[in-house]
Amino acid sequence: MNRTEPRPAPPLPPVTLTPEEAAAVAVALASRPDGPYADAGRGALEKVLAALEPDPRRRADLLATSLWVSAEAGRADEIHAVVEQAVTRRHVLVLHYRDGQGQASRREVEPQLLVRSSDHSFLVAWCRERQALRWFRQDRIEAVEPTEETAPRRDLAGLGAPPASNHPAGRALSRTKPPKPPRAPAPPRLVVLPGGRS
């Protein structure tokens, strides 16, 4: 019978990250505090933060910020669960929504379906205020109030494509804008070496 001994993971070669990429890694690791890789994620987050910030006090501030991100992610998961349930059960929802310009509104909507684009998740719903189908970006839904009222099925013909990222949320588009030309890659601004900074 062969027994395998656990082997230590080989060290990674130097990895070059921009500050934005490092922040994205930290946010992704902090946003799933109870996931299947939570312990490994916390360890990786501490290594990323140690490489980014050698000052222990500032590193503690970054860790506290990551806990805030975790709480926000938990709230977003709760909102998504209520929205998903309303779509499945076909129940009217009241959304507290903030559009792309930061304008807050309260919308009574009839959920029709959930859509995921490459950038965002959307609730497609009949907006009773606008009397039309609208795309609501889920990350802009600040709160939801479920109801027991049944939402009628609506004709989705002419719905169009999801709104572009810079388009005001809550509107349906019948065509998409042409893609922007790609930008030249920026030179790396942060180099994370194995073991971080001393």
Side-chain angles (χ1 to χ4, degrees), residues 36-161:
Y37 301 105
D39 291 336
R42 272 191 290 278
L45 177 58
E46 288 175 12
K47 288 177 184 176
V48 168
L49 293 178
L52 289 174
E53 183 51 70
D55 180 359
R57 284 186 304 191
R58 294 213 35 186
R59 194 162 57 242
D61 289 343
L62 289 171
L63 279 168
T65 302
S66 76
L67 295 175
W68 177 82
V69 169
S70 298
E72 286 296 300
R75 189 174 68 86
D77 286 345
E78 288 174 18
I79 289 172
H80 178 74
V82 173
V83 169
E84 193 173 61
Q85 192 173 58
V87 171
T88 303
R89 295 182 176 176
R90 305 205 67 80
H91 285 171
V92 172
L93 274 177
V94 177
L95 304 181
H96 296 267
Y97 191 77
R98 191 167 298 275
D99 68 17
Q101 283 74 46
Q103 297 294 318
S105 62
R106 182 181 182 277
R107 303 284 188 94
E108 197 170 299
V109 301
E110 300 168 5
Q112 301 298 308
L113 58 110
L114 294 172
V115 177
R116 174 84 187 146
S117 73
S118 59
D119 297 326
H120 302 289
S121 293
F122 295 90
L123 167 65
V124 175
W126 180 266
C127 177
R128 290 182 170 175
E129 180 182 333
R130 303 288 186 194
Q131 288 296 299
L133 282 170
R134 290 290 187 256
W135 296 82
F136 294 97
R137 251 178 62 175
Q138 287 200 57
D139 60 339
R140 291 181 178 161
I141 299 173
E142 297 183 330
V144 286
E145 299 171 29
T147 74
E148 293 300 317
E149 182 183 351
T150 301
R153 293 188 186 274
R154 299 286 182 169
D155 181 8
L156 300 180
L159 178 63

Side-chain angles (χ1 to χ4, degrees), residues 163-182:
S165 294
N166 59 352
H167 192 277
R171 294 182 180 248
L173 296 179
S174 57
R175 63 184 190 284
T176 57
K177 295 182 179 181
K180 293 181 180 178

